[in-house]
């Protein structure tokens, strides 16, 4: 289990130039809590300006293509997001697995592409409500992890985010005991996939994390940080989560 908590904001399809002031305000809070690794993933259109607006935290992308270049209209490559100022990318978010039908094999290829470009990756995994109700949550999540797990993985560039699909944007959060069970299962699976280095890979929790529940979630064993959607959009909401991570 890593010592430094990692708090990542995923802005999804939110954010115009006018919202860059939020990045600056969040940067001030992050700078006041240097014991926390904070990051924001704005839409790709804001990566360059967000990167030049702050030096207190990392800027990431929300996705990139697995090919270096070519005829893929509307897509961006790892080298492109890197040149814009991103130091990592979220990959395999459940919204992309659902909306863009992304497969584990594509996510693995994307992770290997970002690593080859010298970037980090946060690979997302998580079960649907039907899968949890059917008692298959651990099986599904560990299957996603195995299928999307890149070659040459190590903690210097790879992070895993557990995001139960039914908790995203719903205000519903799993019981701490369920989060603990899943993060332990992910840790165990990482051990099988990569051996010793597994303990140092950070495993984030995501899904309706906010200033009110962050302290409890971040205290769960094997929860090394959070991947935050709605509550990352303003300093007012994201600040308390960074503060909770600093106190954890
Ligand atoms: P919410 O925090 O809005 O539930 O979103 C979580 C998420 O999907 C982050 O990637």
């Amino acid at each position: 289990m890593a010592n430094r908590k990692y708090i990542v904001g995923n802005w999804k399809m939110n954010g115009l130039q006018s919202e860059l002031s939020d990045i600056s305000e969040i940067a001030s809070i992050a700078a006041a809590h240097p014991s926390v690794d904070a990051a924001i993933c704005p839409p790709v259109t804001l990566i360059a300006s967000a990167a030049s607006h702050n030096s207190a935290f990392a800027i990431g992308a929300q996705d990139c293509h697995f090919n270096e270049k070519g005829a893929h209209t509307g897509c961006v490559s790892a080298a492109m997001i890197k040149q814009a100022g991103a130091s990592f990318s979220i990959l395999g978010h459940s919204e992309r697995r659902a909306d863009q039908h992304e497969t584990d094999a594509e996510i693995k290829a994307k992770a290997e592409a970002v690593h080859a470009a010298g970037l980090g990756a946060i690979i997302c995994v998580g079960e649907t409500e039907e899968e949890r109700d059917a008692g298959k949550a651990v099986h599904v999540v560990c299957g996603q992890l195995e299928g999307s797990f890149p070659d040459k993985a190590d903690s210097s560039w790879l992070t895993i985010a557990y995001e139960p699909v039914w908790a995203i944007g719903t205000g519903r959060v799993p019981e701490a005991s369920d989060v603990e069970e899943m993060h332990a299962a992910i840790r165990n699976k990482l051990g099988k996939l990569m051996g010793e280095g597994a303990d140092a890979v950070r495993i984030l929790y995501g899904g309706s994390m906010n200033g009110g529940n962050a302290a409890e979630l971040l205290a769960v064993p094997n929860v090394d940080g959070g991947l935050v959607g709605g509550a990352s959009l303003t300093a007012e909401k994201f600040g308390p989560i960074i503060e909770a991570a600093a106190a954890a």
Side-chain angles (χ1 to χ4, degrees):
M1 189 155 164
N3 286 328
R4 291 176 66 84
K5 297 287 189 205
Y6 189 22
I7 303 295
V8 183
N10 174 10
W11 277 19
K12 308 189 178 183
M13 199 171 74
N14 297 288
L16 296 168
Q17 292 283 333
S18 49
E19 267 80 48
L20 285 171
S21 56
D22 290 302
I23 298 267
S24 303
E25 285 176 40
I26 292 168
S28 307
I29 298 170
H33 297 92
S35 63
V36 177
D37 291 332
I40 293 277
C41 300
V44 70
T45 48
L46 288 187
I47 288 176
S49 18
S52 65
H53 257 71
N54 101 90
S55 54
F57 57 68
I59 297 297
Q62 299 173 14
D63 176 54
C64 73
H65 201 275
F66 47 80
N67 281 342
E68 275 178 42
K69 59 168 77 169
H72 303 289
T73 301
C75 298
V76 291
S77 70
M80 290 171 186
I81 59 170
K82 181 180 184 183
Q83 194 166 67
S87 57
F88 70 97
S89 183
I90 295 171
L91 298 172
H93 192 282
S94 60
E95 288 151 13
R96 293 195 61 83
R97 288 180 186 260
D99 298 351
Q100 276 77 32
H101 310 292
E102 284 192 4
T103 63
D104 287 337
E106 283 165 347
I107 295 158
K108 171 178 156 80
K110 288 179 179 206
E112 287 164 3
V114 299
H115 180 50
L119 299 172
I122 299 178
I123 294 181
C124 303
V125 291
E127 83 285 359
T128 63
E129 187 155 31
E130 295 70 41
E131 289 162 343
R132 174 155 290 273
D133 289 347
K136 294 183 188 156
V138 168
H139 176 75
V140 165
V141 166
C142 288
Q144 288 173 340
L145 186 58
E146 182 163 356
S148 48
F149 200 73
D151 292 342
K152 300 186 193 155
D154 77 65
S155 63
S156 68
W157 67 275
L158 182 68
T159 298
I160 306 299
Y162 167 56
E163 299 202 301
V165 175
W166 52 273
I168 295 176
T170 59
R172 295 169 58 203
V173 173
E175 297 293 331
S177 56
D178 288 334
V179 176
E180 182 171 354
E181 180 196 27
M182 186 62 81
H183 280 238
I186 292 171
R187 182 76 67 206
N188 187 36
K189 185 74 182 175
L190 287 172
K192 292 193 176 120
L193 291 167
M194 61 187 289
E196 270 183 18
D199 280 352
V201 174
R202 289 192 282 199
I203 308 173
L204 314 184
Y205 168 79
S208 297
M209 184 181 271
N210 59 43
N213 61 27
E216 190 191 357
L217 287 163
L218 293 169
V220 173
N222 284 306
V223 174
D224 302 309
L227 183 54
V228 186
S232 71
L233 293 173
T234 62
E236 193 189 352
K237 290 183 176 166
F238 201 43
I241 301 176
I242 295 174
E243 284 157 15

mmCIF file of all heavy atoms in Angstrom, residues 84-111:
data_model
loop_
_atom_site.group_PDB
_atom_site.id
_atom_site.type_symbol
_atom_site.label_atom_id
_atom_site.label_comp_id
_atom_site.label_asym_id
_atom_site.label_seq_id
_atom_site.Cartn_x
_atom_site.Cartn_y
_atom_site.Cartn_z
ATOM 1 N N ALA A 84 0.746 18.106 -25.422
ATOM 2 C CA ALA A 84 -0.161 19.139 -24.898
ATOM 3 C C ALA A 84 0.114 19.440 -23.427
ATOM 4 O O ALA A 84 -0.303 20.490 -22.929
ATOM 5 C CB ALA A 84 -1.604 18.687 -25.096
ATOM 6 N N GLY A 85 0.770 18.511 -22.721
ATOM 7 C CA GLY A 85 1.090 18.778 -21.314
ATOM 8 C C GLY A 85 0.583 17.734 -20.340
ATOM 9 O O GLY A 85 0.746 17.886 -19.121
ATOM 10 N N ALA A 86 -0.029 16.662 -20.844
ATOM 11 C CA ALA A 86 -0.491 15.589 -19.959
ATOM 12 C C ALA A 86 0.690 14.705 -19.559
ATOM 13 O O ALA A 86 1.596 14.469 -20.363
ATOM 14 C CB ALA A 86 -1.544 14.744 -20.662
ATOM 15 N N SER A 87 0.652 14.223 -18.317
ATOM 16 C CA SER A 87 1.698 13.285 -17.897
ATOM 17 C C SER A 87 1.157 11.873 -17.734
ATOM 18 O O SER A 87 1.904 10.947 -17.438
ATOM 19 C CB SER A 87 2.362 13.749 -16.600
ATOM 20 O OG SER A 87 1.400 13.910 -15.596
ATOM 21 N N PHE A 88 -0.161 11.717 -17.890
ATOM 22 C CA PHE A 88 -0.760 10.378 -17.810
ATOM 23 C C PHE A 88 -2.124 10.434 -18.479
ATOM 24 O O PHE A 88 -2.612 11.512 -18.842
ATOM 25 C CB PHE A 88 -0.897 9.940 -16.338
ATOM 26 C CG PHE A 88 -1.944 10.701 -15.572
ATOM 27 C CD1 PHE A 88 -3.220 10.184 -15.406
ATOM 28 C CD2 PHE A 88 -1.666 11.955 -15.023
ATOM 29 C CE1 PHE A 88 -4.191 10.893 -14.712
ATOM 30 C CE2 PHE A 88 -2.626 12.666 -14.324
ATOM 31 C CZ PHE A 88 -3.902 12.128 -14.175
ATOM 32 N N SER A 89 -2.745 9.262 -18.607
ATOM 33 C CA SER A 89 -4.120 9.217 -19.124
ATOM 34 C C SER A 89 -4.946 8.218 -18.337
ATOM 35 O O SER A 89 -4.452 7.144 -17.974
ATOM 36 C CB SER A 89 -4.131 8.819 -20.607
ATOM 37 O OG SER A 89 -5.468 8.840 -21.102
ATOM 38 N N ILE A 90 -6.192 8.592 -18.069
ATOM 39 C CA ILE A 90 -7.192 7.613 -17.628
ATOM 40 C C ILE A 90 -7.460 6.715 -18.833
ATOM 41 O O ILE A 90 -7.529 7.197 -19.967
ATOM 42 C CB ILE A 90 -8.494 8.332 -17.211
ATOM 43 C CG1 ILE A 90 -8.270 9.219 -15.986
ATOM 44 C CG2 ILE A 90 -9.619 7.329 -16.964
ATOM 45 C CD1 ILE A 90 -9.475 10.124 -15.663
ATOM 46 N N LEU A 91 -7.638 5.420 -18.587
ATOM 47 C CA LEU A 91 -7.942 4.488 -19.685
ATOM 48 C C LEU A 91 -9.031 3.511 -19.248
ATOM 49 O O LEU A 91 -9.061 3.089 -18.084
ATOM 50 C CB LEU A 91 -6.689 3.695 -20.077
ATOM 51 C CG LEU A 91 -5.517 4.528 -20.615
ATOM 52 C CD1 LEU A 91 -4.275 3.653 -20.781
ATOM 53 C CD2 LEU A 91 -5.868 5.210 -21.923
ATOM 54 N N GLY A 92 -9.927 3.177 -20.156
ATOM 55 C CA GLY A 92 -10.929 2.152 -19.873
ATOM 56 C C GLY A 92 -11.987 2.571 -18.875
ATOM 57 O O GLY A 92 -12.557 1.727 -18.169
ATOM 58 N N HIS A 93 -12.277 3.879 -18.819
ATOM 59 C CA HIS A 93 -13.359 4.318 -17.934
ATOM 60 C C HIS A 93 -14.651 3.598 -18.338
ATOM 61 O O HIS A 93 -14.883 3.347 -19.516
ATOM 62 C CB HIS A 93 -13.529 5.840 -18.036
ATOM 63 C CG HIS A 93 -14.411 6.376 -16.958
ATOM 64 N ND1 HIS A 93 -15.780 6.274 -17.016
ATOM 65 C CD2 HIS A 93 -14.119 6.985 -15.776
ATOM 66 C CE1 HIS A 93 -16.287 6.811 -15.910
ATOM 67 N NE2 HIS A 93 -15.298 7.244 -15.144
ATOM 68 N N SER A 94 -15.496 3.299 -17.356
ATOM 69 C CA SER A 94 -16.715 2.528 -17.661
ATOM 70 C C SER A 94 -17.612 3.255 -18.648
ATOM 71 O O SER A 94 -18.362 2.617 -19.400
ATOM 72 C CB SER A 94 -17.487 2.214 -16.384
ATOM 73 O OG SER A 94 -17.878 3.402 -15.734
ATOM 74 N N GLU A 95 -17.541 4.607 -18.655
ATOM 75 C CA GLU A 95 -18.360 5.333 -19.643
ATOM 76 C C GLU A 95 -17.859 5.058 -21.059
ATOM 77 O O GLU A 95 -18.649 4.974 -22.001
ATOM 78 C CB GLU A 95 -18.359 6.839 -19.308
ATOM 79 C CG GLU A 95 -19.205 7.113 -18.064
ATOM 80 C CD GLU A 95 -18.783 8.311 -17.245
ATOM 81 O OE1 GLU A 95 -17.980 9.131 -17.710
ATOM 82 O OE2 GLU A 95 -19.267 8.412 -16.097
ATOM 83 N N ARG A 96 -16.552 4.895 -21.227
ATOM 84 C CA ARG A 96 -16.012 4.559 -22.547
ATOM 85 C C ARG A 96 -16.226 3.069 -22.847
ATOM 86 O O ARG A 96 -16.489 2.704 -23.989
ATOM 87 C CB ARG A 96 -14.519 4.909 -22.633
ATOM 88 C CG ARG A 96 -14.265 6.421 -22.561
ATOM 89 C CD ARG A 96 -12.863 6.747 -23.021
ATOM 90 N NE ARG A 96 -12.665 6.328 -24.391
ATOM 91 C CZ ARG A 96 -13.037 7.061 -25.460
ATOM 92 N NH1 ARG A 96 -13.575 8.249 -25.307
ATOM 93 N NH2 ARG A 96 -12.831 6.589 -26.687
ATOM 94 N N ARG A 97 -16.110 2.230 -21.837
ATOM 95 C CA ARG A 97 -16.388 0.796 -22.069
ATOM 96 C C ARG A 97 -17.831 0.645 -22.560
ATOM 97 O O ARG A 97 -18.116 -0.181 -23.422
ATOM 98 C CB ARG A 97 -16.182 -0.010 -20.776
ATOM 99 C CG ARG A 97 -14.717 -0.176 -20.347
ATOM 100 C CD ARG A 97 -14.640 -0.993 -19.060
ATOM 101 N NE ARG A 97 -13.317 -1.087 -18.485
ATOM 102 C CZ ARG A 97 -12.501 -2.142 -18.623
ATOM 103 N NH1 ARG A 97 -12.863 -3.185 -19.333
ATOM 104 N NH2 ARG A 97 -11.315 -2.144 -18.032
ATOM 105 N N ALA A 98 -18.759 1.477 -22.013
ATOM 106 C CA ALA A 98 -20.170 1.379 -22.413
ATOM 107 C C ALA A 98 -20.428 2.152 -23.705
ATOM 108 O O ALA A 98 -20.942 1.589 -24.677
ATOM 109 C CB ALA A 98 -21.055 1.915 -21.285
ATOM 110 N N ASP A 99 -20.066 3.430 -23.748
ATOM 111 C CA ASP A 99 -20.443 4.281 -24.891
ATOM 112 C C ASP A 99 -19.654 3.951 -26.156
ATOM 113 O O ASP A 99 -20.181 4.014 -27.259
ATOM 114 C CB ASP A 99 -20.206 5.768 -24.565
ATOM 115 C CG ASP A 99 -21.063 6.254 -23.402
ATOM 116 O OD1 ASP A 99 -21.941 5.504 -22.961
ATOM 117 O OD2 ASP A 99 -20.843 7.391 -22.953
ATOM 118 N N GLN A 100 -18.345 3.682 -25.990
ATOM 119 C CA GLN A 100 -17.490 3.434 -27.163
ATOM 120 C C GLN A 100 -17.177 1.940 -27.323
ATOM 121 O O GLN A 100 -16.329 1.579 -28.134
ATOM 122 C CB GLN A 100 -16.184 4.231 -27.061
ATOM 123 C CG GLN A 100 -16.276 5.675 -27.545
ATOM 124 C CD GLN A 100 -16.960 6.603 -26.560
ATOM 125 O OE1 GLN A 100 -16.857 6.404 -25.350
ATOM 126 N NE2 GLN A 100 -17.652 7.620 -27.052
ATOM 127 N N HIS A 101 -17.816 1.112 -26.495
ATOM 128 C CA HIS A 101 -17.629 -0.346 -26.566
ATOM 129 C C HIS A 101 -16.156 -0.736 -26.476
ATOM 130 O O HIS A 101 -15.706 -1.629 -27.203
ATOM 131 C CB HIS A 101 -18.247 -0.912 -27.855
ATOM 132 C CG HIS A 101 -19.650 -0.437 -28.060
ATOM 133 N ND1 HIS A 101 -20.702 -0.805 -27.246
ATOM 134 C CD2 HIS A 101 -20.187 0.429 -28.949
ATOM 135 C CE1 HIS A 101 -21.807 -0.211 -27.633
ATOM 136 N NE2 HIS A 101 -21.531 0.561 -28.657
ATOM 137 N N GLU A 102 -15.411 -0.070 -25.643
ATOM 138 C CA GLU A 102 -13.988 -0.408 -25.510
ATOM 139 C C GLU A 102 -13.830 -1.784 -24.868
ATOM 140 O O GLU A 102 -14.512 -2.103 -23.896
ATOM 141 C CB GLU A 102 -13.271 0.638 -24.639
ATOM 142 C CG GLU A 102 -13.012 1.913 -25.382
ATOM 143 C CD GLU A 102 -12.050 2.840 -24.636
ATOM 144 O OE1 GLU A 102 -11.516 2.466 -23.583
ATOM 145 O OE2 GLU A 102 -11.866 3.950 -25.139
ATOM 146 N N THR A 103 -12.907 -2.541 -25.400
ATOM 147 C CA THR A 103 -12.662 -3.892 -24.874
ATOM 148 C C THR A 103 -11.413 -3.895 -23.991
ATOM 149 O O THR A 103 -10.576 -2.985 -24.072
ATOM 150 C CB THR A 103 -12.422 -4.888 -26.019
ATOM 151 O OG1 THR A 103 -11.224 -4.491 -26.713
ATOM 152 C CG2 THR A 103 -13.581 -4.897 -26.994
ATOM 153 N N ASP A 104 -11.298 -4.947 -23.190
ATOM 154 C CA ASP A 104 -10.092 -5.090 -22.358
ATOM 155 C C ASP A 104 -8.831 -5.073 -23.226
ATOM 156 O O ASP A 104 -7.830 -4.460 -22.854
ATOM 157 C CB ASP A 104 -10.149 -6.411 -21.576
ATOM 158 C CG ASP A 104 -11.156 -6.377 -20.435
ATOM 159 O OD1 ASP A 104 -11.485 -5.282 -19.954
ATOM 160 O OD2 ASP A 104 -11.602 -7.461 -20.023
ATOM 161 N N ALA A 105 -8.896 -5.753 -24.375
ATOM 162 C CA ALA A 105 -7.703 -5.831 -25.235
ATOM 163 C C ALA A 105 -7.299 -4.441 -25.735
ATOM 164 O O ALA A 105 -6.105 -4.116 -25.809
ATOM 165 C CB ALA A 105 -7.973 -6.765 -26.410
ATOM 166 N N GLU A 106 -8.291 -3.606 -26.067
ATOM 167 C CA GLU A 106 -7.961 -2.237 -26.511
ATOM 168 C C GLU A 106 -7.357 -1.424 -25.366
ATOM 169 O O GLU A 106 -6.425 -0.642 -25.567
ATOM 170 C CB GLU A 106 -9.231 -1.535 -27.018
ATOM 171 C CG GLU A 106 -9.651 -1.981 -28.405
ATOM 172 C CD GLU A 106 -11.080 -1.563 -28.762
ATOM 173 O OE1 GLU A 106 -11.841 -1.143 -27.850
ATOM 174 O OE2 GLU A 106 -11.418 -1.655 -29.932
ATOM 175 N N ILE A 107 -7.901 -1.616 -24.176
ATOM 176 C CA ILE A 107 -7.405 -0.850 -23.026
ATOM 177 C C ILE A 107 -5.961 -1.255 -22.705
ATOM 178 O O ILE A 107 -5.109 -0.412 -22.414
ATOM 179 C CB ILE A 107 -8.364 -1.043 -21.830
ATOM 180 C CG1 ILE A 107 -9.731 -0.430 -22.183
ATOM 181 C CG2 ILE A 107 -7.790 -0.426 -20.559
ATOM 182 C CD1 ILE A 107 -10.890 -0.974 -21.389
ATOM 183 N N LYS A 108 -5.683 -2.546 -22.811
ATOM 184 C CA LYS A 108 -4.301 -3.024 -22.623
ATOM 185 C C LYS A 108 -3.379 -2.377 -23.664
ATOM 186 O O LYS A 108 -2.296 -1.876 -23.326
ATOM 187 C CB LYS A 108 -4.281 -4.556 -22.773
ATOM 188 C CG LYS A 108 -2.912 -5.205 -22.822
ATOM 189 C CD LYS A 108 -3.108 -6.737 -22.919
ATOM 190 C CE LYS A 108 -1.934 -7.455 -23.525
ATOM 191 N NZ LYS A 108 -0.815 -7.710 -22.683
ATOM 192 N N ALA A 109 -3.833 -2.341 -24.918
ATOM 193 C CA ALA A 109 -3.009 -1.740 -25.977
ATOM 194 C C ALA A 109 -2.816 -0.247 -25.732
ATOM 195 O O ALA A 109 -1.730 0.305 -25.964
ATOM 196 C CB ALA A 109 -3.673 -1.979 -27.340
ATOM 197 N N LYS A 110 -3.844 0.422 -25.221
ATOM 198 C CA LYS A 110 -3.711 1.847 -24.912
ATOM 199 C C LYS A 110 -2.707 2.057 -23.780
ATOM 200 O O LYS A 110 -1.896 2.990 -23.818
ATOM 201 C CB LYS A 110 -5.073 2.422 -24.495
ATOM 202 C CG LYS A 110 -6.050 2.565 -25.640
ATOM 203 C CD LYS A 110 -7.392 3.110 -25.171
ATOM 204 C CE LYS A 110 -8.327 3.241 -26.381
ATOM 205 N NZ LYS A 110 -9.352 4.245 -26.200
ATOM 206 N N ALA A 111 -2.772 1.203 -22.771
ATOM 207 C CA ALA A 111 -1.835 1.343 -21.641
ATOM 208 C C ALA A 111 -0.398 1.166 -22.138
ATOM 209 O O ALA A 111 0.513 1.909 -21.736
ATOM 210 C CB ALA A 111 -2.173 0.323 -20.549
#
